[in-house]
């Protein structure tokens, strides 16, 4: 195996994230997918890159009880995951990157009544998505 054919780990990971922007995935999914393309990345490289992408706000990380693993989802075209709220479908697990403007009114009235301020970046609203609403 010659090194020059090797894709940079970060690029390989982002490539996968873009293809799967609508779905949740685990570090294990990425490891499998990236290495299926002929790369030979180890688990710690994957984790390190995922952590960095989370820090950069390109990725949201959350705990998933049904698969008992940490899941990730890419925020393509939604801006930084530190600056908006997430909504998760309780049926299929899909994550939505929600603009804070939708919560502004509720946030303002909570501030008035309870004196609390929402930490948007840490807030996950449980919901049913349009595909699951009738289930
Ligand atoms: Zn997000
Ligand atoms: Zn759903």
């Amino acid at each position: 195996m010659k090194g020059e054919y090797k894709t940079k780990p970060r690029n390989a990971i982002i490539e996968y994230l873009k293809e799967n922007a609508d779905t949740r995935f685990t570090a294990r999914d990425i490891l499998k997918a990236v290495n299926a393309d002929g790369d030979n990345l180890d688990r710690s490289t994957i984790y390190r890159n995922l952590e960095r992408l989370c820090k950069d706000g390109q990725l949201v990380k959350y705990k998933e009880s049904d698969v008992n693993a940490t899941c990730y989802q890419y925020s393509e075209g939604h801006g930084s995951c530190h600056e908006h709220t997430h909504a998760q479908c309780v049926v299929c697990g899909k994550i939505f990157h929600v603009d804070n403007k939708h919560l502004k009114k509720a946030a303002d009235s909570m501030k008035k009544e309870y004196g609390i301020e929402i930490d948007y970046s840490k807030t996950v609203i449980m919901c049913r998505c349009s595909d699951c609403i009738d289930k």
Side-chain angles (χ1 to χ4, degrees), residues 9 14 22 47 51-53 71 75 86 93 108 117 125-126 134:
I14 287 178
D22 273 352
Y47 275 109
E51 285 305 314
R52 193 167 310 148
L53 287 163
C71 292
S75 170
H86 295 102
D108 286 347
E117 224 163 60
I125 297 167
M126 303 319 282
D134 295 324

Side-chain angles (χ1 to χ4, degrees), residues 1 19 30 54-55 76 91 93 98-99 109 115 127 130-131:
M1 246 330 145
E19 281 165 23
I30 297 187
C54 286
K55 232 177 168 180
E76 190 173 29
V91 181
V98 179
D99 195 302
S109 79
C127 65
S130 53
D131 293 334

Side-chain angles (χ1 to χ4, degrees), residues 90-128:
V90 293
V91 181
C92 69
K94 188 173 172 183
I95 290 273
F96 297 83
H97 306 266
V98 179
D99 195 302
N100 291 343
K101 70 174 186 227
H102 299 294
L103 298 165
K104 184 95 176 52
K105 251 187 166 164
D108 286 347
S109 79
M110 276 192 263
K111 173 104 198 222
K112 226 180 256 164
E113 188 162 346
Y114 306 106
I116 55 175
E117 224 163 60
I118 295 178
D119 185 341
Y120 291 110
S121 67
K122 292 197 170 69
T123 301
V124 179
I125 297 167
M126 303 319 282
C127 65
R128 272 173 217 272

Side-chain angles (χ1 to χ4, degrees), residues 39-91:
D39 283 313
N40 197 16
L41 305 176
D42 59 28
R43 187 177 292 259
S44 62
T45 306
I46 300 285
Y47 275 109
R48 201 167 50 240
N49 279 280
L50 289 175
E51 285 305 314
R52 193 167 310 148
L53 287 163
C54 286
K55 232 177 168 180
D56 293 346
Q58 291 186 269
L59 212 56
V60 60
K61 177 169 92 168
Y62 54 98
K63 194 87 187 144
E64 196 64 285
S65 54
D66 61 334
V67 290
N68 196 21
T70 301
C71 292
Y72 300 87
Q73 191 170 328
Y74 190 53
S75 170
E76 190 173 29
H78 299 286
S80 169
C81 280
H82 298 314
E83 284 157 17
H84 54 233
T85 308
H86 295 102
Q88 182 176 24
C89 175
V90 293
V91 181

